[in-house]
DNA sequence: CCTCTCATGTAAGACGTTACATGATTCA
DNA sequence: TGAATCATGTAACGTCTTACATGAGAGG
């Protein structure tokens, strides 16, 4: 389980409560982790029991909002994190994408519907790319590694998009379907 | 659960038994799916019960090797697959990589150890790239989508590698560490 | 005969998701 | 007062991993 280590890593920046941790992970590791309360709270409890983090119940300390539990990383937590960080990473990359999962089987589907799904995906990845540019700007002043990571996010997204747009052309040609733009151009010259 | 649909997709090519399905998924979707027998056999059983696939126990039909169970996709299975294939994909991409997971926290680690891990990863991704080039060649005659998918595999891998090599330079500079090559070069001119 | 690979399977437990329950604070 | 948001939590369920058990055939 490496959600544990994501949490320990995050707590290096500042003490946080569960709700905030979830927000951070969703914003910063959203493409790596899909997180939910059913994971976060039991994990925090377990990590507290193992003394990797400590909790102090700040009831309305900041005066605003409902009572929350602030978690701080302990020395034991830091040590455990360092041990993990210096380890050679285990098994390889997992890239699981529901679109790509289907794409690889589009040879067995209807080309017209495939093109629709491709267009939806182009839109979706364009939105994602915009969000990643925003991230890049937001982490301008952060550490080297965080910045490099944000750059990777942009780069992989750009490759994905470029590939899918090229693919679209090829699929449309193969299927004998014209893109809306080409059809319009054709009608104009007619 | 979309392992189900991967299996239904694979069975469009030819009838297969569990062991072979696992091999295929590992080779062709290895970067998407990590699969094991604890998943494959219960799934096949369940899918057979739902009549999405049918099984005939070919005991030494091919004469070679131990008895195996050949699964064939049924019409119901094809219909279910078509329904899934034409659906708009659900939630987005999940890219979970144990190296990248650590990388984003290297600001809290020792630069020297980080560089070692980066070098290990460059090696690992170079090996992976070689395998993906091989895949690309192997699927020359396959359908458009399969070929495009293989091309994406190569492209993303290339971006990852290029990024990590650039990152390595930056990290080494930042840490004031020379690469072994540079040190050697220095000693030679001395 | 012994070992390796091919092949099928199960059981226990770790991990993840969904849905729900609870309650405080904020703002209209 | 009622709705939205912030915040914590749990229970049930589903999925995935690990480890093990079994056994046939191939080749030295």
């Amino acid at each position: 389980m490496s959600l544990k280590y994501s949490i320990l890593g995050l707590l290096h920046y500042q003490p946080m409560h569960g709700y905030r941790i979830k927000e951070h992970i969703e914003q910063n590791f959203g493409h790596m982790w899909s997180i939910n309360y059913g994971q976060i709270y039991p994990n925090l409890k377990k990590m507290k029991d193992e003394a990797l983090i400590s909790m102090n119940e700040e009831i309305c300390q900041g005066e605003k909002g409902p009572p929350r539990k602030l978690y701080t990383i302990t020395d034991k937590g830091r040590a455990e994190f360092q041990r993990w960080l210096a380890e050679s990473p285990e098994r390889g990359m997992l890239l699981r994408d529901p679109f790509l999962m289907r794409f690889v089987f589009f040879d067995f589907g209807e080309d017209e519907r495939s093109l629709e799904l491709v267009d939806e995906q182009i839109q979706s990845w364009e939105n994602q790319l915009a969000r990643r540019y925003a991230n890049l700007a937001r982490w301008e002043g952060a550490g080297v590694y965080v910045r490099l990571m944000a750059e990777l996010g942009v780069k992989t997204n750009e490759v994905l998009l470029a590939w899918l747009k090229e693919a679209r052309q090829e699929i449309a040609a193969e299927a004998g379907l014209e893109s809306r733009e080409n059809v319009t151009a054709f009608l104009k010259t007619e």
Side-chain angles (χ1 to χ4, degrees), chain A:
Chain A
M1 180 232 313
S2 44
L3 170 60
K4 172 174 158 183
Y5 297 103
S6 308
I7 293 175
L8 288 177
L10 272 183
L11 292 182
H12 273 70
Y13 290 104
Q14 57 182 287
M16 259 179 259
H17 60 277
Y19 194 84
R20 192 76 60 219
I21 288 171
K22 182 173 179 279
E23 273 184 350
H24 263 87
I25 289 182
E26 269 169 0
Q27 258 192 35
N28 305 338
F29 305 101
H31 50 292
M32 283 205 176
W33 278 120
S34 86
I35 204 70
N36 50 56
Y37 299 123
Q39 270 174 94
I40 207 104
Y41 290 113
N43 255 288
L44 286 171
K45 196 178 179 184
K46 204 185 153 216
M47 286 163 75
K48 200 197 76 180
D49 290 345
E50 290 168 3
L52 301 171
I53 56 179
S54 69
M55 184 263 281
N56 66 324
E57 202 147 352
E58 316 250 329
I59 303 184
C60 302
Q61 242 264 19
E63 306 305 342
K64 305 205 169 184
R68 68 201 73 148
K69 296 179 174 180
L70 257 198
Y71 292 95
T72 309
I73 189 163
T74 62
D75 286 342
K76 194 182 168 194
R78 270 174 224 278
E80 169 77 358
F81 181 78
Q82 286 299 321
R83 194 198 49 70
W84 171 79
L85 196 65
E87 255 177 17
S88 284
E90 51 278 17
R91 59 196 168 286
M93 178 176 296
L94 192 81
L95 185 138
R96 194 173 303 181
D97 182 75
F99 170 74
L100 259 17
M101 207 70 227
R102 283 173 172 79
F103 186 91
V104 77
F105 290 122
F106 277 178
D107 286 310
F108 301 120
E110 311 267 351
D111 281 319
E112 221 164 322
R113 179 63 184 142
S114 296
L115 264 183
E116 283 176 24
L117 292 176
V118 164
D119 286 334
E120 275 178 33
Q121 198 60 30
I122 287 173
Q123 194 53 57
S124 159
W125 282 348
E126 250 157 11
N127 296 339
Q128 208 189 312
L129 183 56
R131 262 176 276 130
R132 291 200 166 168
Y133 276 123
N135 273 350
L136 195 56
R138 190 145 35 86
W139 292 328
E140 204 57 53
V144 209
Y145 296 96
V146 170
R147 206 205 60 240
L148 283 166
M149 196 68 188
E151 282 172 14
L152 179 63
V154 167
K155 280 180 187 188
T156 52
N157 210 319
E158 280 173 346
V159 167
L160 241 45
L161 244 183
W163 167 82
L164 189 53
K165 283 177 175 176
E166 262 185 69
R168 196 210 182 278
Q169 294 299 107
E170 213 176 311
I171 297 160
E174 180 106 348
L177 297 168
E178 299 289 330
S179 73
R180 194 158 303 204
E181 286 76 14
N182 288 345
V183 169
T184 311
F186 173 76
L187 288 172
K188 271 178 186 161
T189 56
E190 198 58 25

